[in-house]
Amino acid sequence: MGKIRVLVIDDSASVRQAMTSILNEDPAIEVIAAAADPFAAARYIQEEIPDVITLDVEMPRMDGVTFLRKLMSQRPIPVVMCSSLVEEGSETLLQALEAGAVDVILKPRVGVADHLNDAKMRIRETVKGAARARVRARSAMERPATPPKLTADAVLPPPTGRAMSRTTEMVVCIGASTGGTEALREVLEALPANSPGIVIVQHMPESFTRAFAKRLNGLCQVGVKEAEDGDTVMRGHVLIAPGGLRHMMLERQGARYVVAVKEGPLVSRHRPSVDVLFRSAARNAGSNAVGIIMTGMGDDGARGLLEMKQAGAFTFAQDEATSVVFGMPKEAIARGAADRVVPLHAIARELLQATVR
């Protein structure tokens, strides 16, 4: 395959320059144009169709979400929303994901070297994932240096054997990335109010998961919230790991499960990491757990799902046909980590059946 051709759309010249530089440093990516607004972008698209578009949210003449809706109804192209992502802007980004955006990245803070260096890998990997995404029409040289790819060993040791005998309560652990926000919505909306306790790692930037959890809480029969350190995992409730800064782990306190939300290095190039959550479930829940890996780029969670299976948990993966990006599930299946491979519409049913005693 040739290089991934990217169109950058942002009204800030400095951001356009920074994004172009970041992406062009990767030999697998080429920025074919940078546009200051959607109208200029539309002219570029008439001449050459990009593989991926990075799209600013707030722009003059036409905002990013409006342009996205027009684009997805006429000529679907994988789009990554690029925003400064202040808390009040999170709802707009959720609307963009509903409208068909593949993922969200933080806009590089020009002049803030530390942030820019931290953001480079995330931006490039997100664009690469978007290039592989399945999008559908909607109505209306040397590779750059990257930090070592750490495993969950960097946060907690491997499981030492089967965790514990079965208890009366089950816990469900879910990991997802690219395409996961809408996939998780479909799963959680299908669950009854008395569903087993669920803990989720969805790769997201910081400040985004609170708005995401709040939105799901208003749509689902189960209660949904952004996890805080020490939260109890309870029947009928879903805890979503805070995005960007810390890992979430499952721990046992007497007869109940709680989550620990703690700082740590990037694991499988992510924080929070699905591998960390799954390993903690293997160590502390064993056969009391169910592990589910869903749509996403890369291999985060594949090793952890295998550890859960080896510890006695029932595990399954989303199938290729219904995954926006068949990366994480594919890696888990290849490792023999999934007991079952199921389509998205069947995950809620399979989850409930797997937790029946």
Side-chain angles (χ1 to χ4, degrees):
M1 292 180 62
K3 291 186 176 184
I4 298 168
R5 298 165 302 144
V6 180
L7 170 61
V8 173
I9 309 175
D10 198 293
D11 64 317
S12 166
S14 58
V15 171
R16 292 197 303 274
Q17 182 178 9
M19 286 291 291
T20 299
S21 176
I22 289 169
L23 294 172
N24 279 339
E25 285 175 7
D26 192 309
I29 301 173
E30 176 187 9
V31 176
I32 59 172
D37 61 47
F39 293 94
R43 292 193 291 272
Y44 283 121
I45 293 171
Q46 289 176 351
E47 297 176 2
E48 182 178 3
I49 299 174
D51 299 310
V52 178
I53 292 173
T54 67
L55 177 62
D56 187 20
V57 176
E58 298 294 334
M59 289 180 292
R61 302 175 69 191
M62 181 185 294
D63 67 89
V65 176
T66 298
F67 176 70
L68 173 68
R69 289 178 175 142
K70 291 179 179 294
L71 181 72
M72 297 306 290
S73 67
Q74 299 172 14
R75 189 191 294 273
I77 297 170
V79 173
V80 175
M81 301 304 293
C82 187
S83 173
S84 55
L85 198 66
V86 291
E87 186 71 27
E88 55 268 26
S90 297
E91 184 59 38
T92 301
L93 291 170
L94 289 171
Q95 293 174 10
L97 289 167
E98 290 177 343
V102 172
D103 212 335
V104 173
I105 53 177
L106 290 175
K107 186 180 294 187
R109 298 174 196 162
V110 179
V112 184
D114 290 343
H115 173 84
L116 196 57
N117 288 332
D118 290 343
K120 283 181 178 180
M121 182 176 65
R122 163 73 176 164
I123 291 170
R124 293 171 187 146
E125 291 302 308
T126 300
V127 166
K128 289 177 182 178
R132 300 182 184 180
R134 297 179 179 87
V135 293
R136 59 181 177 83
R138 307 261 180 148
S139 54
M141 107 190 70
E142 289 185 0
R143 294 189 177 277
T146 58
K149 185 176 180 181
L150 301 179
T151 69
D153 291 340
V155 178
L156 71 169
T160 56
R162 294 199 174 247
M164 66 189 73
S165 59
R166 284 183 175 265
T167 65
T168 56
E169 288 297 330
M170 298 284 287
V171 60
V172 177
C173 301
I174 302 177
S177 187
T178 311
T181 52
E182 286 301 289
L184 286 169
R185 177 192 58 76
E186 182 171 334
V187 171
L188 297 182
E189 279 189 323
L191 295 175
N194 66 341
S195 297
I198 299 173
V199 288
I200 296 173
V201 166
Q202 161 71 48
H203 295 155
M204 293 183 181
E206 59 189 276
S207 304
F208 187 38
T209 40
R210 183 172 298 136
F212 178 54
K214 183 178 179 181
R215 168 180 172 255
L216 291 176
N217 189 58
L219 295 173
C220 304
Q221 296 181 63
V222 290
V224 185
K225 72 181 291 284
E226 183 184 61
E228 299 176 70
D229 188 47
D231 277 347
T232 301
V233 181
M234 299 183 293
R235 182 169 286 275
H237 290 80
V238 177
L239 298 174
I240 299 178
L245 298 176
R246 292 168 290 172
H247 292 292
M248 183 173 73
M249 291 164 276
L250 184 71
E251 294 185 346
R252 180 79 180 225
Q253 287 187 357
R256 65 187 183 128
Y257 293 111
V258 300
V259 293
V261 180
K262 299 180 179 179
E263 294 182 357
L266 295 173
V267 170
S268 300
R269 301 201 174 117
H270 292 283
R271 184 176 50 232
S273 164
V274 182
D275 269 331
V276 170
L277 174 63
F278 284 179
R279 172 170 288 187
S280 69
R283 286 173 52 85
N284 298 311
S287 58
N288 291 315
V290 171
I292 305 170
I293 194 162
M294 296 174 61
T295 176
M297 171 79 171
D299 63 358
D300 187 28
R303 182 181 290 104
L305 194 71
L306 180 59
E307 292 175 350
M308 287 186 69
K309 180 179 178 179
Q310 291 170 340
F314 185 79
T315 61
F316 53 99
Q318 185 176 349
D319 71 354
E320 181 175 7
T322 62
S323 294
V324 173
V325 178
F326 191 55
M328 289 160 52
K330 180 180 180 180
E331 289 295 327
I333 294 165
R335 292 171 187 250
D339 290 310
R340 296 280 306 278
V341 178
V342 297
L344 177 60
H345 66 265
I347 289 178
R349 182 182 69 246
E350 294 284 340
L351 179 163
L352 294 172
Q353 290 177 352
T355 53
V356 172
R357 291 292 174 82

